[in-house]
Amino acid sequence: SSQAIAPEILRYGQVRKIARQVQIRLHEAWMSEAIADRPVTYVVAADETGAIADYQPVDARAADAAEQTPLPHLVKDYRSEDTLLRPLARFHVTFKPSGSLNVQLWRGIPLLWLAISTLIAIVAAGAIVGYVETRLL
């Protein structure tokens, strides 16, 4: 699996841009109006251009439904090029029975944003406590 050996793209802005490209690429390639009777989800790896390098089903139902998605065809096209160690971004891609699909960031909220929001909360709490203490004195 190329997901296992390729370096990971982690810059939040770049990953979001790739997510949009993946969404467009999948919408253009998906001919099926519906898939299975419940949503199926895959971990999808894409390069900096949004080209689909690899995918892994998250469960047996997704594995059984893979041929109903454009993923096998897109990966085959990708592997025909010299692409082995290109950096990849990872996403959760869910194909829904309605015929729509959803691309979510693999890592969720980036750690940097989590750290910044925690720091802001601590500073705000400190300011509130300081204000209350000065009012009580």
Side-chain angles (χ1 to χ4, degrees):
S1 164
S2 59
Q3 287 193 52
I5 58 174
E8 188 167 3
I9 299 171
L10 296 173
R11 283 191 22 239
Y12 185 66
Q14 186 178 13
V15 171
R16 285 192 48 152
K17 179 181 174 190
I18 295 168
R20 284 190 299 275
Q21 294 167 330
V22 166
Q23 180 102 20
I24 291 166
R25 192 175 301 261
L26 288 172
H27 269 295
E28 289 174 350
W30 196 17
M31 301 299 177
S32 177
E33 287 299 315
I35 186 168
D37 57 345
R38 291 182 289 175
V40 289
T41 301
Y42 304 85
V43 176
V44 173
D47 71 10
E48 66 280 352
T49 69
I52 310 293
D54 197 12
Y55 70 94
Q56 297 295 322
V58 298
D59 57 25
R61 194 167 28 91
D64 292 343
E67 290 299 324
Q68 297 175 37
T69 75
L71 293 171
H73 176 72
L74 293 171
V75 168
K76 184 178 140 199
D77 288 349
Y78 182 85
R79 290 183 181 156
S80 67
E81 301 174 19
D82 180 27
T83 57
L84 188 57
L85 290 177
R86 284 187 189 170
L88 301 174
R90 289 168 183 79
F91 307 95
H92 275 122
V93 175
T94 302
F95 294 89
K96 299 177 183 180
S98 64
S100 65
L101 63 95
N102 186 28
V103 178
Q104 294 179 310
L105 303 184
W106 165 250
R107 298 256 180 206
I109 299 172
L111 292 179
L112 177 61
W113 291 109
L114 188 58
I116 290 171
S117 61
T118 302
L119 181 61
I120 290 170
I122 291 169
V123 169
I128 291 168
V129 168
Y131 176 78
V132 169
E133 285 178 350
T134 59
R135 296 302 243 169
L136 293 176
L137 294 177

